[in-house]
Amino acid sequence: MNEEPVFPPLLHGVAVAPGTDTASIAVAAVMAGEAGAGDLYWSQSEDRLNMAVVLEPDVPLARAAQMRHVLAVAFGDAFGAISPPEIGVNYRWPGDILVNGARAGAITLDVPAGLSPDQVPQWMVLGLDVAITLDLSVENPGEQPDRTTLHEEGAGEVTRTMLLESVSRHFLTWVDGWMNEGFKAVHENWLGRAMGSDQDITVCHAGATVSGRVTGMDEEGNLLFTPAGNPVQALALVDTVERHLPA
């Protein structure tokens, strides 16, 4: 059995029952006035890391949305610190986590409805879901060759608690760097692990599916993407957030 996680002082852990989505619970709690900055909801499921942290940014949404990239690079560092070095981690727009080329998880970002990119969100919920072991409740899991788990890729010693603690620590470190030094380091780290810089890939953006190649990222965190036979497009990071109306 996994031990209870221990979080850094700036984060307050809130355990939720196995099999529930922490991001949905965190969104409901913050909209009901029952959660605030630093609350980290984590699932007691042991076959996956499912967590969501509540943020109260003091910058406009267009910049605050960079937290999605911040959590991605934090996961890469956190997993790398506790896993065998030969396991590769990559990122696919807007929030997929790939391990040895297959999708192991994803990052989500939820904000209030009605915000323009230049408005400051009252709250944000940043979610992360990563498969650690095979979910035997899923019928014929081997029929999804584009999906994987950390254990299938050779990280058999990694547990939910180990990963949760490591991600929370590295996330705070990256947030501190982002606040004090800007987006540059996050930009370089994310782009260095971006899937699609050397081959055509398919990405989902704002409800549409686009195939092509990653050609860069601008200083705001928007993806520069070149569909086959077409000019470079800028895929806006702010368009990837989920927006929620009050209940």
Side-chain angles (χ1 to χ4, degrees), residues 90-98 101 103 190 194-195 201-203:
N90 294 98
Y91 314 126
R92 182 172 58 201
W93 184 269
D96 285 347
I97 301 292
L98 307 179
R103 186 178 184 273
W190 194 97
M195 180 66 72
I201 61 167
T202 298
V203 301

Side-chain angles (χ1 to χ4, degrees), residues 21 42 47 55 61 86-87 116 137 149 180 182 188 193 242:
D21 178 55
W42 61 279
D47 63 344
L55 306 172
L61 178 60
E86 66 272 14
I87 302 177
S116 64
S137 68
T149 70
N180 292 295
E188 293 175 349
R193 292 178 182 256
E242 293 290 333

Side-chain angles (χ1 to χ4, degrees), residues 126-144:
L126 190 60
L128 173 63
D129 182 75
V130 177
I132 297 175
T133 62
L134 191 64
D135 183 356
L136 298 179
S137 68
V138 177
E139 187 175 357
N140 301 321
E143 294 181 358
Q144 294 183 314

Side-chain angles (χ1 to χ4, degrees), residues 124-178:
M124 301 173 67
V125 171
L126 190 60
L128 173 63
D129 182 75
V130 177
I132 297 175
T133 62
L134 191 64
D135 183 356
L136 298 179
S137 68
V138 177
E139 187 175 357
N140 301 321
E143 294 181 358
Q144 294 183 314
D146 60 331
R147 303 292 180 95
T148 193
T149 70
L150 303 187
H151 284 194
E152 286 181 281
E153 299 304 324
E157 300 301 315
V158 172
T159 67
R160 178 213 65 211
T161 297
M162 289 169 58
L163 190 58
L164 183 56
E165 292 180 343
S166 188
V167 169
S168 63
R169 291 193 303 268
H170 282 87
F171 177 63
L172 288 184
T173 298
W174 274 101
V175 169
D176 183 70
W178 175 84

Side-chain angles (χ1 to χ4, degrees), residues 7-205:
F7 296 105
L10 293 178
L11 297 175
H12 171 246
V14 182
V16 302
T20 53
D21 178 55
T22 55
S24 298
I25 292 174
V27 168
V30 74
M31 292 177 71
E34 299 171 354
D39 286 338
L40 192 156
Y41 290 75
W42 61 279
S43 171
Q44 293 174 315
S45 297
E46 297 184 5
D47 63 344
R48 62 194 316 107
L49 169 65
N50 188 274
M51 59 170 275
V53 60
V54 179
L55 306 172
E56 294 177 0
D58 57 3
V59 296
L61 178 60
R63 182 169 181 236
Q66 294 170 1
M67 282 295 105
R68 194 168 200 165
H69 295 333
V70 172
L71 183 55
V73 300
F75 174 82
D77 281 0
F79 179 63
I82 59 176
S83 67
E86 66 272 14
I87 302 177
V89 174
N90 294 98
Y91 314 126
R92 182 172 58 201
W93 184 269
D96 285 347
I97 301 292
L98 307 179
V99 178
N100 289 342
R103 186 178 184 273
I107 295 168
T108 58
L109 183 59
D110 297 85
V111 300
L115 288 177
S116 64
D118 60 352
Q119 289 181 300
V120 177
Q122 289 186 321
W123 56 266
M124 301 173 67
V125 171
L126 190 60
L128 173 63
D129 182 75
V130 177
I132 297 175
T133 62
L134 191 64
D135 183 356
L136 298 179
S137 68
V138 177
E139 187 175 357
N140 301 321
E143 294 181 358
Q144 294 183 314
D146 60 331
R147 303 292 180 95
T148 193
T149 70
L150 303 187
H151 284 194
E152 286 181 281
E153 299 304 324
E157 300 301 315
V158 172
T159 67
R160 178 213 65 211
T161 297
M162 289 169 58
L163 190 58
L164 183 56
E165 292 180 343
S166 188
V167 169
S168 63
R169 291 193 303 268
H170 282 87
F171 177 63
L172 288 184
T173 298
W174 274 101
V175 169
D176 183 70
W178 175 84
M179 291 176 63
N180 292 295
E181 301 172 16
F183 184 59
K184 183 179 179 181
V186 178
H187 175 287
E188 293 175 349
N189 189 297
W190 194 97
L191 196 57
R193 292 178 182 256
M195 180 66 72
S197 59
D198 58 356
Q199 61 182 336
D200 287 349
I201 61 167
T202 298
V203 301
C204 295
H205 179 78

